[in-house]
């Protein structure tokens, strides 16, 4: 009976503590960083992704469930550049977790490892929801993923030194496949060079910079301010004089304004994954760029 | 040499280093909330009473006409890798200002543990910790007004621990001066209030999330006075209470947003139940001797705020109070319920132009007092500068 009680207590304890099979817990803010951590750390890391591809990463609430996850994290992988300013600071404060606080090895911000575009000269809220550090949507250029992958590999080695050689080997393997994929995508995407494209939100600066695509306008007159009828009419007028080939939006965005513009101007409205999982083809990081390029090439032929 | 050149090239390739230069780069974040209210109250707010409930000093529906509401200036920052600090200066409707929050908080303890010291809003209940600019209505529910003097803040120490569980579980406790209602006087040598609370929370799918909690507050009062008349100028119009107050709070909150996107549509439902027990000595106004007094009162509210399209929300709230009838000895004191059940129903509509600006219209059908008061409010809440992330 006593043995049974002991066993029962042990079972309870194990049930409560549930030691994870993986060596470290990772809290990823967006799906692209969850996917990248998974590529680099394999089954050594238990990765929790805080947002799904159909959520707007600007507007997430500091929910209790997220505090719980962050409390147990050994490493936090987020975009930074103030993308998560509306929720991460509160989660960090409430988590009671010292490992992932700013300045600690467990605090990883991807945007600090790449060159940011569209850094504003002046910052004023009258200009809409702008990001003073620059455009934070860095994941639309695979070369940024490569830079972040290198930095993240080093960070994994620092946070979990016992598995350092494992991360180093996985990181090197990933970079080899990644560089080859980038070369292939650049070849495939050549027809997109110089093409004029309208964007819904200013989330594509890095993709356009990479492939030499020209931004022909944005449905949001100011970042984060929903498309207004007046602005759309103006945009339609502009496009009549200098046409674009397509209008693109992220999977998480409401596409009503895109469809309106498409119907008015005859250019196709294209939904792009924006992050891993946003479209059926974007199942992993490799799929994300392949699917993005495929969809734009298909729209170009229309 | 070649090595040096490489290093230099690497340093130049890091672009974000550029801006941070002068010593003012370490200035803390500054957030200013400008808030103002226009109130149209049917009855003179100076005579506001709720039979059965001794109210805190500045309770009531606020001033008539234009007032600055709860404009506040917050300054906050990490102090070093292990500490965070926040200071909030708040302007009140009557033109006075006070230090609303001034606390330091640990970030480096780990293991789910956080310690806070200074002046802060108590972590009890759900609404108590929310700053006024995040409220869904102009005012606090009736139960918070009568049992906590709207919102309990005090000087003290708070300890919180987040358990390593999938379901959010947080235990907390506070030890405070007891300088604010429902404590009063210098009860217990500056150790007049204690609290303990547990909060739970989680998600149901991507679209729903919830929170629930149980809180306890124990306070001591020594000659806590309540005015029985407008102006509070005549000394024999003061009642006083010496004894213990125990408050229990159960809170529940449910939030819905399609796939977790709050931008276009969302719904927030919340309900809290507060039970208050007083044990001690009560001295009616003008009386020579104190009367032994024990009484239990409770109050609750339910409210919902629904954003049906980006920018626009409607909210409904019902609040109600119940108090024991203390008996004939307490006739015509503030504890005399006069057989009245105080209620208040509220409806609000607000428009949010951006995350930083909101305008609200609210109507209260206030049956808290012996006569019905119809109250109209128009309020603006605007944020300038940095904007701290909101709690859930």
């Amino acid at each position: 009976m006593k043995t049974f009680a002991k066993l029962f207590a042990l079972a309870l304890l194990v049930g409560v503590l549930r030691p994870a099979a993986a060596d470290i817990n990772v809290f990823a803010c967006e799906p692209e960083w969850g996917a990248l951590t998974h590529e680099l750390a394999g089954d050594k890391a238990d990765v929790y992704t805080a947002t799904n591809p159909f959520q707007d990463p600007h507007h997430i609430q500091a929910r209790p469930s997220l505090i719980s996850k962050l409390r147990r994290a050994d490493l936090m992988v987020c975009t930074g550049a103030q993308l998560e300013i509306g929720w991460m600071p509160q989660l960090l404060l409430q988590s009671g977790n010292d490992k992932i606080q700013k300045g600690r090895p467990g605090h990883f911000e991807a945007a600090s490892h790449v060159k940011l575009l569209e850094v504003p000269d002046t910052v004023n809220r009258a200009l809409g929801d702008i990001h003073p550090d620059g455009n934070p949507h860095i994941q639309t250029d695979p070369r940024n993923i490569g830079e972040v992958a290198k930095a993240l590999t080093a960070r994994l080695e620092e946070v979990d030194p016992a598995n350092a050689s494992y991360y180093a080997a996985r990181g090197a393997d990933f970079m080899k496949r990644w560089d080859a994929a980038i070369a292939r995508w650049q070849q495939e995407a050549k027809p997109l060079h110089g093409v004029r494209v309208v964007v819904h939100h200013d989330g594509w600066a890095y993709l356009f910079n990479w492939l030499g695509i020209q931004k022909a306008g944005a449905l949001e007159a100011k970042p984060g301010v929903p498309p207004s009828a007046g602005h759309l009419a103006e945009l339609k007028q502009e496009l009549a004089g200098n046409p674009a080939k397509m209008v693109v939006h992220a999977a998480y965005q409401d596409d009503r304004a895109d469809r309106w513009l498409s119907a008015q101007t005859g250019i196709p409205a294209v939904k792009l994954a924006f992050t891993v999982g946003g479209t059926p083809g974007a199942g992993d990081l490799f799929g994300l760029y392949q699917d993005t390029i495929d969809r734009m090439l298909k729209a170009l032929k229309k | 040499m070649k090595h040096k050149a490489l290093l230099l090239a690497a340093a130049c390739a890091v672009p974000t280093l550029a801006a941070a230069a002068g010593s003012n780069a370490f200035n803390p974040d500054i957030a200013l909330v400008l808030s103002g209210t226009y109130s149209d109250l049917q009855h003179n707010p100076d005579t506001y009473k709720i039979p059965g409930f001794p109210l805190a000093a500045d309770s009531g529906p606020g001033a008539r006409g234009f007032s600055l509401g709860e404009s506040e200036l917050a300054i906050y920052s990490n102090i070093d890798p292990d500490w965070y600090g926040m200071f909030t200066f708040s302007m009140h409707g009557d033109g006075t200002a006070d230090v609303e929050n001034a606390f330091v908080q640990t970030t480096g303890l780990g293991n789910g543990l956080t310690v806070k010291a200074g002046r802060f809003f108590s972590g009890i209940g759900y609404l108590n910790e929310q700053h006024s600019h995040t409220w869904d209505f102009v005012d606090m529910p009736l139960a918070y007004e009568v049992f906590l003097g709207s919102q309990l803040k005090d000087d003290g120490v708070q300890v919180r621990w987040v358990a390593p569980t999938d379901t959010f579980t947080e235990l907390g406790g506070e030890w405070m001066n007891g300088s604010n209602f429902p404590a009063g006087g210098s009860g217990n040598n500056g150790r007049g209030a204690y609290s303990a609370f547990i909060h739970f929370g989680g998600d149901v799918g991507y679209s729903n999330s919830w929170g629930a909690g149980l809180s306890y507050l124990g306070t001591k009062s020594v000659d806590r006075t309540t005015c029985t008349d407008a102006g509070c100028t005549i000394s024999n119009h003061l009642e006083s209470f010496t004894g213990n107050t125990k408050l229990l709070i159960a809170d529940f909150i449910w939030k819905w947003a399609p796939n977790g996107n709050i931008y276009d549509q969302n719904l927030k439902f919340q309900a809290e139940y507060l039970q208050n027990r007083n044990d001690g000595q009560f001295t009616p106004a003008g009386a020579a001797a104190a009367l032994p007094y024990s009484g239990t009162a409770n109050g609750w509210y339910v409210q919902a705020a629904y954003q049906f399209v980006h920018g626009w929300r409607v909210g409904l709230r019902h609040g109600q109070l119940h108090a024991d009838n203390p008996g004939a000895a307490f006739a015509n004191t503030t504890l005399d319920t006069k057989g009245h059940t105080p209620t208040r129903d509220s409806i609000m509509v607000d428009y949010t132009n951006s995350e930083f600006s909101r305008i609200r219209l609210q109507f209260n059908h206030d049956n808290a007092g012996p006569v019905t008061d119809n109250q109209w409010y128009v309020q603006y809440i605007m944020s300038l500068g940095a904007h701290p992330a909101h709690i859930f």
Side-chain angles (χ1 to χ4, degrees), chain B residues 228 266 371:
Chain B
T228 57
N266 65 72
V371 284

Side-chain angles (χ1 to χ4, degrees), chain B residues 335-354:
Chain B
L335 293 172
D336 186 354
T337 61
K338 301 187 171 164
H340 181 67
T341 301
T343 63
R344 185 160 73 197
D345 292 287
S346 312
I347 180 166
M348 76 86 188
V349 182
D350 63 22
Y351 174 70
T352 305
N353 185 48
S354 73

Side-chain angles (χ1 to χ4, degrees), chain A residues 198-202 217-222 225-228 231-232 235 239 247-249 254-261:
Chain A
V198 178
V199 299
H200 180 112
H201 173 74
D202 272 327
L219 301 188
E220 295 179 349
K222 291 167 184 172
V225 179
S228 67
H231 175 68
L232 288 177
L235 190 63
L239 292 175
V247 50
V248 298
H249 69 274
D254 183 345
D255 67 347
R256 272 173 302 183
D258 304 73
R259 282 185 281 129
W260 180 87
L261 190 75

Side-chain angles (χ1 to χ4, degrees), chain B residues 40 138 143 147 178 188 212 220 224-225 238 284 304 322 348 367 385 388:
Chain B
D40 183 279
V138 171
F147 297 133
N188 211 11
K220 219 175 166 96
R224 186 189 79 198
T225 54
L238 283 181
H322 303 272
M348 76 86 188
N367 270 316

Side-chain angles (χ1 to χ4, degrees), chain A residues 6-293:
Chain A
K6 269 185 190 164
L7 274 175
F8 182 70
L10 188 72
L12 258 183
L13 202 68
V14 169
V16 171
L17 298 177
R18 261 188 316 161
D23 293 353
I24 54 168
N25 284 318
V26 179
F27 180 101
C29 281
E30 289 88 23
E32 63 271 20
W33 309 130
L36 182 61
T37 311
H38 188 70
E39 292 278 357
L40 300 174
D43 57 8
K44 300 289 182 205
D46 192 351
V47 182
Y48 171 77
T49 303
T51 57
N52 72 41
F54 308 105
Q55 288 179 328
D56 180 348
H58 300 89
H59 301 283
I60 299 295
Q61 291 193 288
R63 302 194 308 277
S65 61
L66 298 179
I67 299 170
S68 246
K69 292 290 184 189
L70 195 61
R71 185 249 187 258
R72 287 175 295 164
D74 300 294
L75 173 65
M76 170 215 95
V77 183
C78 294
T79 299
Q82 301 207 2
L83 177 64
E84 301 98 352
I85 189 118
W87 49 291
M88 273 314 285
Q90 199 48 250
L91 295 182
L92 285 164
L93 269 182
Q94 290 189 61
S95 69
N97 184 350
D98 55 329
K99 292 184 237 171
I100 42 78
Q101 299 294 329
K102 212 174 176 73
R104 308 257 181 193
H107 187 99
F108 183 89
E109 293 187 358
S112 336
H113 303 279
V114 303
K115 181 165 166 45
L116 293 183
L117 300 177
E118 299 179 349
V119 181
D121 295 330
T122 52
V123 175
N124 190 314
R125 288 260 157 78
L127 304 172
D129 196 5
I130 57 169
H131 296 277
D133 296 340
N135 190 318
H137 306 294
I138 58 170
Q139 84 284 3
T140 60
D141 179 346
R143 295 172 303 178
N144 286 343
I145 298 287
E147 292 305 313
V148 174
K150 283 181 226 160
L152 185 55
T153 300
R155 195 60 70 87
L156 283 163
E157 292 169 18
E158 190 181 353
V159 168
D160 182 20
N163 291 314
S165 56
Y166 177 83
Y167 298 131
R170 260 193 105 95
D173 174 62
F174 174 77
M175 285 312 299
K176 214 167 92 190
R177 289 182 293 134
W178 195 247
D179 287 339
I182 289 178
R184 194 175 68 239
W185 291 326
Q186 284 174 343
Q187 199 59 35
E188 286 176 21
K190 273 198 172 142
L192 292 169
H193 193 91
V195 167
R196 282 169 51 79
V197 174
V198 178
V199 299
H200 180 112
H201 173 74
D202 272 327
W204 307 100
Y206 297 89
L207 177 74
F208 288 13
N209 179 53
W210 173 45
L211 297 177
I213 297 168
Q214 278 182 34
K215 187 177 113 180
L219 301 188
E220 295 179 349
K222 291 167 184 172
V225 179
S228 67
H231 175 68
L232 288 177
E234 256 173 49
L235 190 63
K236 182 188 159 192
Q237 200 70 40
E238 269 176 49
L239 292 175
N242 193 359
K245 289 287 188 187
M246 63 190 90
V247 50
V248 298
H249 69 274
Y252 74 81
Q253 282 155 347
D254 183 345
D255 67 347
R256 272 173 302 183
D258 304 73
R259 282 185 281 129
W260 180 87
L261 190 75
S262 172
Q264 293 291 315
T265 59
I267 62 172
V270 186
K271 175 165 94 175
L272 301 179
F274 194 61
T275 182
V276 173
T279 55
D284 62 10
L285 280 169
F286 291 90
L288 171 61
Y289 299 96
Q290 192 63 57
D291 189 66
T292 301
I293 291 167

Side-chain angles (χ1 to χ4, degrees), chain A residues 244-246 262 266-271 295-302:
Chain A
K245 289 287 188 187
M246 63 190 90
S262 172
I267 62 172
V270 186
K271 175 165 94 175
R295 281 171 181 254
M296 292 185 80
L297 287 173
K298 196 174 149 203
L300 196 60
K301 285 183 193 135
K302 273 187 187 166

